[in-house]
Amino acid sequence: MSLFTGNIPGSVLLVTEWTATYVYIKEGGNLIDFIKKYKHGFIILIYSIVYTLLFAYLEQQTFHGYHVVHTVFDDAIPFCEYFIVPYMLWFPYMILAVLYFIFINKNKHEYYQLIFNLMMGMTIFLVVSYVYPNIQHLRPSEFPRDNIFTDMVRWLYRTDTPTNILPSIHVFNSLAIHMSLTNCEALRGRKSIRYGSLILTILIILSTMFLKQHSVIDVCLGATLALFGFLLFYPQQAHESAKHPAVANAGKNKRRFF
């Protein structure tokens, strides 16, 4: 994977932090005041630097053998270049969400829930990539159509290697961002944001498979990792979800399905 695509959100977070700092200072803010006011935001900045360096080092390593990630379901999913749009929207989705929780949302607990969840998933991804080097061979040798969207996919393929894909960080981070927005107290009444986030998250997840960037296995493991993060960092919300009537009724009627 390249530094600015695929499984490397560290560069996105770095751009987010430095852009916000530059705008603040340009508008007349004092750097010391900025650091004091938003010092909590530097946690994700420092982690992003470390993550980016470790990932860059990982990409330079030569492994004796890669584990090929593939399922029969991958062969049944057609290539569709139009999904490059939601795939690339993942970047501003990440940037805007992190900016919101650093500079706009006043609830720092929700900020820490988000960044520690992101850092947990990205760290697990690095560990898996180092101990279980993986690759996929799903990309089409020829595109069925020739248009601006396939041109964008060609650029993506050129800048993004098909290695280190398990679990999908595109999937995990999208779900982590969505759960942070869904459980944000300040956004409780903003249904447009919550539903818009849900739709975009679903499209991003689908895009990883329709662009042949990830296998179904990568997507499932990314979603599983997101579920683990939800249970770990949002225990109260997870408990409330478990008490939801639909879930409770499913539990009562489980004998019907087994």
Side-chain angles (χ1 to χ4, degrees), residues 126-185:
L126 284 176
V127 173
V128 171
S129 297
Y130 273 98
V131 302
Y132 187 80
N134 51 85
I135 191 173
Q136 55 97 340
H137 300 302
L138 304 174
R139 295 177 175 180
S141 56
E142 295 181 0
F143 293 114
R145 293 163 293 276
D146 189 14
N147 50 48
I148 188 174
F149 300 103
T150 53
D151 290 340
M152 294 172 66
V153 177
R154 287 191 184 95
W155 171 83
L156 177 64
Y157 285 1
R158 286 195 303 268
T159 58
D160 189 10
T161 68
T163 60
N164 305 317
I165 59 173
L166 183 83
S168 171
I169 289 299
H170 245 69
V171 171
F172 168 76
N173 277 6
S174 297
L175 290 171
I177 291 294
H178 176 65
M179 70 177 66
S180 70
L181 296 175
T182 301
N183 293 287
C184 177
E185 286 292 338

Side-chain angles (χ1 to χ4, degrees), residues 21-254:
T21 304
Y22 172 77
V23 171
Y24 183 86
I25 296 175
K26 185 177 180 180
E27 292 180 351
N30 182 277
L31 179 59
I32 301 300
D33 293 337
F34 174 84
I35 294 175
K36 290 181 179 179
K37 186 175 182 179
Y38 299 109
K39 58 181 180 296
H40 57 284
F42 285 86
I43 297 176
I44 194 65
L45 172 62
I46 294 172
Y47 177 83
S48 300
I49 295 174
V50 175
Y51 176 90
T52 302
L53 293 174
L54 289 175
F55 188 85
Y57 176 77
L58 171 66
E59 285 290 273
Q60 296 174 358
Q61 301 307 300
T62 301
F63 296 98
H64 296 295
Y66 285 94
H67 300 272
V68 178
V69 182
H70 179 266
T71 71
V72 294
F73 301 106
D74 298 320
D75 300 328
I77 299 175
F79 169 82
C80 182
E81 70 274 19
Y82 303 113
F83 275 96
I84 189 66
V85 176
Y87 188 87
M88 299 305 294
L89 284 176
W90 175 82
F91 295 96
Y93 183 48
M94 283 277 297
I95 290 174
L96 292 175
V98 173
L99 283 174
Y100 171 78
F101 281 97
I102 293 177
F103 298 104
I104 300 177
N105 187 33
K106 304 302 181 182
N107 190 328
K108 290 185 180 180
H109 175 69
E110 293 177 346
Y111 161 75
Y112 288 122
Q113 283 180 308
L114 170 61
I115 66 164
F116 285 130
N117 193 14
L118 291 174
M119 291 190 296
M120 178 275 298
M122 292 155 65
T123 300
I124 290 178
F125 160 75
L126 284 176
V127 173
V128 171
S129 297
Y130 273 98
V131 302
Y132 187 80
N134 51 85
I135 191 173
Q136 55 97 340
H137 300 302
L138 304 174
R139 295 177 175 180
S141 56
E142 295 181 0
F143 293 114
R145 293 163 293 276
D146 189 14
N147 50 48
I148 188 174
F149 300 103
T150 53
D151 290 340
M152 294 172 66
V153 177
R154 287 191 184 95
W155 171 83
L156 177 64
Y157 285 1
R158 286 195 303 268
T159 58
D160 189 10
T161 68
T163 60
N164 305 317
I165 59 173
L166 183 83
S168 171
I169 289 299
H170 245 69
V171 171
F172 168 76
N173 277 6
S174 297
L175 290 171
I177 291 294
H178 176 65
M179 70 177 66
S180 70
L181 296 175
T182 301
N183 293 287
C184 177
E185 286 292 338
L187 300 177
R188 288 282 176 160
R190 305 293 294 274
K191 291 185 178 181
S192 59
I193 293 178
R194 297 173 66 183
Y195 290 140
S197 172
L198 175 61
I199 293 172
L200 180 57
T201 296
I202 293 174
L203 289 175
I204 290 174
I205 292 174
L206 292 175
S207 73
T208 64
M209 294 178 286
F210 279 94
L211 291 180
K212 301 301 179 179
Q213 281 290 90
H214 286 281
S215 165
V216 172
I217 295 178
D218 310 329
V219 172
C220 290
L221 290 180
T224 301
L225 187 59
L227 175 60
F228 174 74
F230 178 67
L231 296 174
L232 181 63
F233 296 103
Y234 300 86
Q236 182 177 351
Q237 292 85 341
H239 180 67
E240 292 175 355
S241 299
K243 294 192 300 183
H244 191 278
V247 178
N249 291 333
K252 293 179 180 178
N253 299 327
K254 64 181 180 180

